[in-house]
Amino acid sequence: MLTVKDLKGIEGKKVLVRVDFNVPHKGSEISDDNRIRAAIPTIQELLNKGARVVLMSHLGKVDWKKLKKGEKTLEDIEGQMKKNDLAIAVEPLKARLKEALGREVKVSFCKSTKGAELKAAVAALEDGSVLLVQNTRYEAGEEKNDPELAKEWASLVDAFVMDAFGSAHRAHASTYGVPEILKGEGKPVAIGFLVEKEVSALSRCVEVKKEDRPYVAILGGLKVTDKIQVIDTLLKKCDYIIIGGAMAYTFRKVLGEKIGSSFLDESALDYAKKCLEEANGRIILPVDSVITDSFEPVEGRKVSVCDGDIPEGFEGVDIGPKSSKKFAEIISKAKMVFWNGPMGVFEQAEFQSGTKAVCEAIRDLKGKAFTVCGGGDSASAVKQFGYKADFSHVSTGGGASLEMIQNDGHLPGIDIIR
Ligand code: AMP
């Protein structure tokens, strides 16, 4: 697979880079520009080689079904995004990009996603300059991988670089259609530095080497059904799977334990039973829980620790101290760890201990094991609690990293570059 470093002879050439600038924002206030900063090394590499860089990204989601008949103009779409507080004036995005690239780089913006205006904006690019294109999702054909749209975008450029890991599990026009066409025309397609790092870390978690054993997976979060495929894959690869979070109660129910009013994924009971049988003791479950009589943080709610059976009227909202200790012991022997999903309702201060205990156990492995946090809520927790630097890799893509694990290292937006 070509990487952006391998691209040669691109001076004066137009290169489309699919980036992930889907930044958290409220109106035009960007609360975190990490995603913009994370794309800079790839953009800079191309600029240093004298390329003309066209950047495309999605930002939020247009609800096409909610637009009335005939309401498909840019103004209609922007109107809807504004109403849902998803619109972002492009100036702040462009300004942050310029700030991150340095003053000397010329950055322009095109408010059209296709047609003569976009064509003219790309044609006006100078060597070593950047054009940021309007939100790709302003085109209804983007998410459908519309061949006409992909053809038009591909016709604008001489090469393609995929650096949007968080969107690589989606075969959209900008992530799949464009590189597919360019590849067919014999033009160079490559991955950027960000995707290269993600692929290298997550591939190691699916192509397990002897020296990476014991390999321990830690899964948490809400629903078993959301993670069935990932559990299946990990059961084949891992030495142990630790299961915490709400997910654990579905497994504990199968074992005949009382779970009170804890979250139960009823439709996954048979699946959980099958997993426990197949795992032959390799699935490790919590032995105690932090329980409460009210999920909502109302004054006077009861919170306590409970071993084994959970009484009626109470629900488990975090793993208890004995479980934290048990999990930490298993983690301490690991040579490789993959973690996805919090151990409890980490959004509430009283139920963070289990998730923090896993962070600490992984921190203690620093320098001794390869440790990966698979994005999503667990990555937010890792950052919030200040453990990001203790991990070998914290993925930027929640959905993408899970799909990459469950599909044995494959994602459409990356396979098309291969
Ligand atoms: P997921 O998206 O499946 O990784 O789920 C993450 C969500 O699961 C977070 O919002 C957590 O608050 C929630 N969660 C984790 N453990 C529990 C629990 N024991 N009870 C209810 N929700 C939980």
Side-chain angles (χ1 to χ4, degrees):
M1 188 153 51
L2 279 186
T3 75
V4 64
K5 247 204 145 56
D6 304 319
L7 289 182
K8 303 255 154 51
I10 51 163
E11 191 181 339
K13 297 273 192 270
K14 286 165 272 179
V15 183
L16 173 54
V17 187
R18 176 55 162 97
V19 285
D20 180 3
F21 284 178
N22 189 24
V23 290
H25 66 97
K26 208 165 181 359
S28 46
E29 280 297 312
I30 299 171
S31 51
D32 179 357
D33 65 1
N34 257 322
R35 286 190 163 155
I36 300 175
R37 293 185 183 278
I40 299 301
T42 294
I43 302 170
Q44 205 72 64
E45 170 78 14
L46 292 165
L47 294 178
N48 292 345
K49 289 177 174 170
R52 304 170 180 205
V53 177
V54 180
L55 299 178
M56 282 195 183
S57 173
H58 75 280
L59 183 60
K61 207 168 165 56
V62 176
D63 192 344
W64 291 97
K65 284 194 200 110
K66 282 210 174 126
L67 283 170
K68 292 193 197 83
K69 234 183 159 189
E71 265 192 358
K72 297 261 169 9
T73 67
L74 193 58
E75 286 71 33
D76 299 327
I77 297 165
E78 275 180 339
Q80 186 198 66
M81 297 287 268
K82 268 197 192 110
K83 215 163 85 197
N84 297 336
D85 212 12
L86 287 172
I88 185 159
V90 169
E91 281 313 309
L93 251 192
K94 195 182 119 186
R96 292 285 179 110
L97 175 63
K98 210 168 152 38
E99 203 181 289
L101 279 170
R103 270 173 203 285
E104 64 287 359
V105 180
K106 201 170 151 198
V107 181
S108 51
F109 170 73
C110 179
K111 71 176 191 321
S112 293
T113 36
K114 63 178 185 190
E117 200 176 345
L118 178 60
K119 205 171 168 185
V122 175
L125 266 174
E126 294 161 18
D127 293 0
S129 66
V130 177
L131 171 71
L132 175 64
V133 180
Q134 181 60 279
N135 189 351
T136 53
R137 293 215 179 140
Y138 281 15
E139 284 300 326
E142 157 74 331
E143 287 173 84
K144 295 183 199 139
N145 188 15
D146 175 59
E148 285 307 311
L149 181 65
K151 211 163 115 190
E152 179 170 345
W153 284 345
S155 74
L156 298 169
V157 293
D158 310 295
F160 177 87
V161 174
M162 175 60 172
D163 213 19
F165 182 73
S167 304
H169 56 314
R170 304 198 162 113
H172 291 173
S174 68
T175 57
Y176 193 90
V178 173
E180 188 183 32
I181 293 169
L182 292 172
K183 216 169 133 180
E185 292 170 353
K187 293 182 177 149
V189 295
I191 53 169
F193 291 123
L194 196 81
V195 167
E196 189 184 9
K197 221 166 112 205
E198 293 275 7
V199 169
S200 133
L202 292 163
S203 300
R204 188 161 163 185
C205 295
V206 286
E207 290 150 24
V208 190
K209 292 193 209 88
K210 228 169 130 197
E211 59 265 33
D212 284 337
R213 293 197 179 277
Y215 175 18
V216 176
I218 310 157
L219 295 177
L222 206 56
K223 280 178 152 185
V224 179
T225 32
D226 286 348
K227 293 186 184 162
I228 284 183
Q229 277 173 292
V230 109
I231 299 173
D232 275 346
T233 308
L234 289 172
L235 265 177
K236 288 191 206 111
K237 315 227 175 237
C238 292
D239 298 292
Y240 294 103
I241 301 188
I242 291 173
I243 296 184
M247 267 172 70
Y249 297 105
T250 303
F251 285 87
R252 288 175 66 179
K253 172 96 179 167
V254 168
L255 295 175
E257 289 182 36
K258 294 202 170 64
I259 62 164
S261 48
S262 305
F263 182 85
L264 173 68
D265 197 350
E266 201 109 31
S267 64
L269 281 168
D270 287 344
Y271 174 76
K273 186 163 181 272
K274 183 190 93 143
C275 283
L276 288 169
E277 282 162 9
E278 274 173 23
N280 222 345
R282 291 181 300 128
I283 290 183
I284 315 295
L285 295 170
V287 287
D288 59 352
S289 303
V290 175
I291 58 170
T292 180
D293 61 346
S294 165
F295 185 87
E296 298 306 324
V298 291
E299 210 173 304
R301 72 170 165 184
K302 293 190 195 111
V303 175
S304 57
V305 174
C306 155
D307 283 348
D309 287 342
I310 296 175
E312 272 315 310
F314 282 82
E315 64 179 301
V317 278
D318 193 8
I319 57 169
K322 285 183 189 151
S323 310
S324 291
K325 195 159 171 260
K326 182 179 171 191
F327 290 1
E329 260 167 40
I330 293 167
I331 295 169
S332 74
K333 298 193 181 84
K335 281 275 175 306
M336 182 156 78
V337 173
F338 173 79
W339 177 26
N340 183 281
M343 295 293 101
V345 186
F346 77 100
E347 296 92 340
Q348 297 187 37
E350 282 172 288
F351 313 134
Q352 291 174 344
S353 302
T355 305
K356 280 186 181 163
V358 167
C359 287
E360 278 161 23
I362 293 176
R363 177 202 58 200
D364 293 344
L365 284 179
K366 204 171 174 184
K368 292 186 265 183
F370 184 68
T371 56
V372 175
C373 172
D377 271 324
S378 25
S380 310
V382 164
K383 283 182 217 156
Q384 185 186 328
F385 302 149
Y387 292 93
K388 191 172 173 219
D390 297 318
F391 283 72
S392 310
H393 183 71
V394 177
S395 177
T396 55
S401 69
L402 272 191
E403 278 196 34
M404 186 146 178
I405 297 283
Q406 70 202 26
N407 298 337
D408 252 332
H410 294 282
L411 287 180
I414 289 163
D415 287 351
I416 193 64
I417 308 289
R418 275 202 177 97

